[in-house]
Amino acid sequence: MLDRHPDLKTFLKMTAALLVVAVASAYILAEVYRYTKEPIKAANNRRELDAIAEVVNDFDNDPFAEKMTIYTPDKKSKLQLYPARKDGIVNSFAIKTYTNSGFGGRIDLIVGFYIDGAIKGYKVISHQETPGLGSKITEPKFQSQFNGFDVSKHKFKVRQDGGDIDAVTAATISSRAVIDAIQRAVDAYKNFNTGK
């Protein structure tokens, strides 16, 4: 009767071969990460700077060089604030914010504010919302409602919740998520202004 189990020598050879493949794969992945880390970071920074330029007034400074970290009142969220200056004077600012309550999960955006704190606009920089439905939060028809919106003077909710914002048709969750992200930025800015 033949022995159905491989002998110890064969087993050790197979284990050694698997170990070599695993180590080589880990090394290759580490090297790829090392070479692509900086270009990916530079591309992300460029995308964010382009988004900032879309949602603030004309500027001649480097908002990235002047960025500062601000926190929501509960200290649970850390956001980035980018001042936009023209001839040395701050004329608007942008805040990188997020929400985890999108239909597809996390949504990251850059929100621009006029110097008085009213919303100038926003730009979605990443999302996983449903194409053709929730993804419409990136379209001008929905975004234009926010230009000049002062959250202290209006009801900053979708109309279905008694507010002044028209939700994207069939994408109320995505619409609420954008409001949640912008509200997080508003709260963090207020907290920053009070010096807390």
Side-chain angles (χ1 to χ4, degrees), residues 138-154:
T138 64
E139 295 179 1
K141 183 178 179 182
F142 180 69
Q143 291 179 324
S144 63
Q145 300 178 84
F146 294 86
N147 190 345
F149 198 98
D150 186 337
V151 298
S152 65
K153 296 178 182 174
H154 302 284

Side-chain angles (χ1 to χ4, degrees), residues 58-61 66 83-92 115:
D58 189 33
F59 61 93
D60 56 16
N61 67 317
E66 296 185 47
R85 297 178 189 272
K86 185 72 173 175
D87 300 323
I89 299 168
V90 175
N91 62 28
S92 56
I115 203 67

Side-chain angles (χ1 to χ4, degrees), residues 121-133:
Y122 74 87
K123 174 83 175 170
V124 175
I125 53 175
S126 70
H127 74 87
Q128 299 295 322
E129 301 305 279
T130 307
L133 290 173

Side-chain angles (χ1 to χ4, degrees), residues 13-171:
K13 283 181 182 178
M14 287 175 23
T15 303
L18 284 173
L19 184 60
V20 167
V21 169
V23 169
S25 298
Y27 176 77
I28 290 168
L29 285 173
E31 287 300 302
V32 168
Y33 174 75
R34 190 166 67 91
Y35 285 110
T36 59
K37 181 180 173 185
E38 287 306 313
I40 289 171
K41 183 179 177 184
N44 287 340
N45 286 347
R46 182 78 241 165
R47 189 176 72 229
E48 286 182 21
L49 190 57
D50 289 346
I52 291 166
E54 280 188 46
V55 299
V56 297
N57 291 331
D58 189 33
F59 61 93
D60 56 16
N61 67 317
D62 177 3
F64 263 69
E66 296 185 47
K67 77 177 175 181
M68 58 190 81
T69 301
I70 60 175
Y71 298 87
T72 52
D74 62 8
K75 304 288 187 225
K76 290 182 179 177
S77 296
K78 177 172 73 169
L79 309 178
Q80 298 298 318
L81 182 144
Y82 303 91
R85 297 178 189 272
K86 185 72 173 175
D87 300 323
I89 299 168
V90 175
N91 62 28
S92 56
F93 58 93
I95 297 176
K96 182 180 178 185
T97 184
Y98 72 94
T99 181
N100 290 316
S101 59
F103 186 78
R106 184 176 172 111
I107 300 172
D108 292 291
L109 25 92
I110 302 281
V111 186
F113 294 90
Y114 292 103
I115 203 67
D116 65 0
I119 299 166
K120 187 170 188 305
Y122 74 87
K123 174 83 175 170
V124 175
I125 53 175
S126 70
H127 74 87
Q128 299 295 322
E129 301 305 279
T130 307
L133 290 173
S135 65
K136 289 184 179 179
I137 59 172
T138 64
E139 295 179 1
K141 183 178 179 182
F142 180 69
Q143 291 179 324
S144 63
Q145 300 178 84
F146 294 86
N147 190 345
F149 198 98
D150 186 337
V151 298
S152 65
K153 296 178 182 174
H154 302 284
K155 295 176 184 170
F156 196 47
K157 298 177 180 177
V158 293
R159 292 200 192 279
Q160 291 92 322
D161 299 336
D164 295 325
I165 300 290
D166 291 319
V168 173
T169 304

